Amino acid sequence: MCLGARDVASAGDSRPVLSSNNSWEQTLRAATPAFLPSSVNKEKLRVFSGTSNTALSEEIAMYLGLDLSPIKIKRFADGEIYTQVGESIRGCDVFLCQPTCPPVNDNLMELLVMVDACRRASAKTITAVIPYYGYARSDRKTQGRESIAAKLSANLITEAGVDRVLAMDLHSGQCVGYFDIPVDHVYGDAVILDYLASKRIPTDQLVVVSPDVGGVARARAFAKKLNDAPLAIVDKRRSAHNVSEVMNVIGDVEGKVAVLVDDMIDTAGTITNAAKVLKDQGAKEVYACASHAVFSPPAVERLSCGVFEEVIVSNSIPISPENQFPQLTVVSVANLLGEAIWRVYNSSSVQSIRDP
């Protein structure tokens, strides 16, 4: 598993780097006091994990210098979820780590039951750490008689008793406004950029590509951190959910190394069709970068078809062994989320992680 770039090109040569020569972690360490100073009390900090991504939760706890707090989670024969906190958390600041990834409904309900257990155990504050927020794509009403499930699930989480949400790479900015409680939104692109910078792609050969018009802002921010790399856009028309048809490319990609940037890869139809069009337009190599690897069938078949040089994703969602393929690279966002948790607990700025 890759944890970020260790050999970043200097700004003096013609290779793309981040806005500074250091990784995001090195920059933070230089700008802030040493992590976990002895004067700070961790006694009231508790980190719990649901069952959806225990490995990520363990990495987060390790970064914080803690063990995961004990919690019992089991399912009855009919599928009902039972939860019991394994220690006293009275007066504690509790962080519940649970991405609502597939199976979305089970993991969302598990999070709600965990919140209820902690609330009834007299936790001082409860923060839901949601590396991947399910239902985020249902964030607006574009046709008659549609639901806005992103708002509904936000209401459920709020009403369950959560005091604050820590989320990563939400599908759209308006999802933050669906919560009637504070939301800290962190971005996984810092970790992906650290890794991508180690590829030493010459700046004059690099182009950042948005796979659709809706992702232009995301791709533009990504390109800015790669020495203001040029931007291209794939014009996509969608005829149905999980079905997309690529029309044309706006921008010059001929002879370039194209980096496709998206927030998630579900069935991989959009990003694979975009990659094929980029190859047809003369792109030399195509890299895919996404924070959330949902990988619903037939995503793996599409991504491993040979059109991508590399597919770079984070571990916000656990990737099962059957979804592994040679072109896949997984970078860890545990340190990023751990730093955000520490700053929330210590009442420090979370925004400065993105803009140190």
Side-chain angles (χ1 to χ4, degrees):
M1 181 178 294
C2 298
L3 299 178
R6 287 181 168 80
D7 186 11
V8 182
S10 65
D13 59 25
S14 61
R15 301 185 178 104
V17 295
L18 309 185
S19 54
S20 69
N21 289 339
N22 295 330
S23 71
W24 70 270
E25 291 178 279
Q26 292 169 324
T27 304
L28 281 175
R29 296 296 170 267
T32 57
F35 184 65
L36 293 180
S38 58
S39 59
V40 177
N41 184 11
K42 293 188 289 179
E43 206 174 287
K44 295 296 184 180
L45 174 60
R46 297 289 187 274
V47 179
F48 291 92
S49 175
T51 60
S52 64
N53 197 347
T54 307
L56 175 60
S57 301
E58 288 174 347
E59 286 187 51
I60 291 172
M62 186 181 300
Y63 179 82
L64 293 166
L66 301 170
D67 293 323
L68 286 176
S69 296
I71 187 169
K72 182 179 182 180
I73 302 173
K74 70 175 185 178
R75 282 167 170 76
F76 293 108
D78 63 352
E80 292 180 8
I81 299 169
Y82 171 84
T83 297
Q84 182 184 28
V85 178
E87 65 181 9
S88 174
I89 57 171
R90 187 178 298 272
C92 292
D93 294 304
V94 170
F95 293 82
L96 302 176
C97 301
Q98 175 82 335
T100 53
C101 51
V104 179
N105 298 330
D106 286 352
N107 288 330
L108 175 59
M109 191 64 199
E110 184 179 297
L111 173 62
L112 300 178
V113 176
M114 289 169 63
V115 171
D116 185 69
C118 292
R119 181 174 60 84
R120 296 179 187 278
S122 301
K124 180 182 177 183
T125 62
I126 301 173
T127 300
V129 181
I130 310 177
Y132 170 73
Y133 180 48
Y135 285 114
R137 283 174 287 185
S138 300
D139 59 354
R140 63 192 184 279
K141 187 173 180 179
T142 58
Q143 303 178 53
R145 301 178 294 279
E146 280 187 328
S147 71
I148 304 179
K151 172 60 176 172
L152 173 62
S153 55
N155 287 344
L156 290 171
I157 292 170
T158 303
E159 290 301 316
V162 170
D163 298 292
R164 177 181 292 270
V165 168
L166 172 59
M168 190 186 86
D169 284 329
L170 293 169
H171 184 63
S172 59
Q174 63 258 36
C175 288
V176 173
Y178 292 159
F179 290 90
D180 297 325
I181 53 178
V183 176
D184 292 301
H185 188 196
V186 297
Y187 299 85
D189 61 357
V191 181
I192 294 175
L193 281 161
D194 277 356
Y195 174 76
L196 192 61
S198 71
K199 307 305 291 184
R200 293 180 172 269
I201 305 167
T203 303
D204 57 359
Q205 295 182 19
L206 180 69
V207 59
V208 176
V209 184
S210 173
D212 54 29
V213 175
V216 171
R218 183 185 303 110
R220 185 182 293 118
F222 197 91
K224 185 176 181 180
K225 292 192 174 184
L226 286 173
N227 278 353
D228 282 324
L231 185 68
I233 304 167
V234 177
D235 178 29
K236 179 195 72 176
R237 306 295 166 87
R238 188 180 291 277
S239 57
H241 294 300
N242 294 128
V243 178
S244 65
E245 180 183 357
V246 173
M247 303 301 290
N248 51 35
V249 178
I250 304 169
D252 180 24
V253 299
E254 187 173 357
K256 301 288 185 70
V257 175
V259 178
L260 276 163
V261 180
D262 211 346
D263 65 317
M264 71 173 70
I265 300 176
D266 189 359
T267 61
T270 295
I271 204 162
T272 303
N273 287 342
K276 290 177 179 177
V277 170
L278 291 173
K279 285 280 192 177
D280 291 342
Q281 295 288 327
K284 185 168 61 175
E285 294 177 349
V286 180
Y287 288 81
C289 298
S291 296
H292 309 302
V294 181
F295 288 178
S296 303
V300 173
E301 289 78 4
R302 288 170 170 170
L303 294 171
S304 58
C305 67
V307 71
F308 294 103
E309 184 74 14
E310 194 169 359
V311 178
I312 306 165
V313 299
S314 82
N315 62 342
S316 64
I317 296 174
I319 301 175
S320 59
E322 58 267 23
N323 283 341
Q324 302 278 349
F325 53 96
Q327 295 87 354
L328 181 66
T329 297
V330 182
V331 296
S332 177
V333 292
N335 290 6
L336 177 69
L337 292 170
E339 181 72 30
I341 287 172
W342 172 248
R343 286 167 180 258
V344 170
Y345 174 69
N346 200 36
S347 300
S348 302
S349 171
V350 174
Q351 177 64 27
S352 62
I353 297 177
R354 185 168 176 83
D355 304 316

